[in-house]
């Protein structure tokens, strides 16, 4: 899960830097007044979300399978503890 989170942050950072460069060059508008940083942050969120959805599909599926396995093991231990308590 940490790997997925770091990769997602990396995609966001890359999107932010690319968009910041486009705003700096003048390809994208600078926003209104002093809202330049907020403008670039919102654009980076809007660009990085679909990119990470597509590019990180396999990593997300692997992380999901790992979480499901952990939950199943925890449920098994809980059930074993309940059975041991009932037997005693």
């Amino acid at each position: 899960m940490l790997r997925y989170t770091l990769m997602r942050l990396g995609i966001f950072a890359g999107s932010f830097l690319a968009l910041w460069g486009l705003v700096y060059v003048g390809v994208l508008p600078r926003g209104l007044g002093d809202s330049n940083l907020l403008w670039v942050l919102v654009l980076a969120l809007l660009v990085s979300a679909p990119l990470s959805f597509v590019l990180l599909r396999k990593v997300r599926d692997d992380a999901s399978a790992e979480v499901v396995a952990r939950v199943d093991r925890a449920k098994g231990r809980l059930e074993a503890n309940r059975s041991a308590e009932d037997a005693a």
Side-chain angles (χ1 to χ4, degrees):
M1 200 60 167
L2 179 64
R3 179 179 173 214
Y4 172 73
T5 302
L6 291 175
M7 291 176 80
R8 181 124 189 223
L9 284 172
I11 289 176
F12 172 74
S15 299
F16 179 79
L17 291 174
L19 290 169
W20 185 270
L22 290 174
V23 168
Y24 183 77
V25 171
V27 174
L28 294 175
R30 292 194 178 271
L32 299 173
D34 294 332
S35 67
N36 191 25
L37 179 62
L38 182 61
W39 167 251
V40 176
L41 282 172
V42 169
L43 281 177
L45 282 172
L46 290 174
V47 168
S48 68
L51 281 175
S52 64
F53 182 74
V54 172
L55 296 175
L56 300 179
R57 181 172 308 212
K58 183 176 178 349
V59 178
R60 185 177 56 250
D61 290 343
D62 292 344
S64 174
E66 183 180 322
V67 168
V68 167
R70 285 185 183 179
V71 168
D72 288 342
R73 284 193 306 266
K75 283 181 181 179
R77 286 191 305 265
L78 182 61
E79 188 60 36
N81 287 341
R82 284 185 186 161
S83 297
E85 288 176 5
D86 291 341

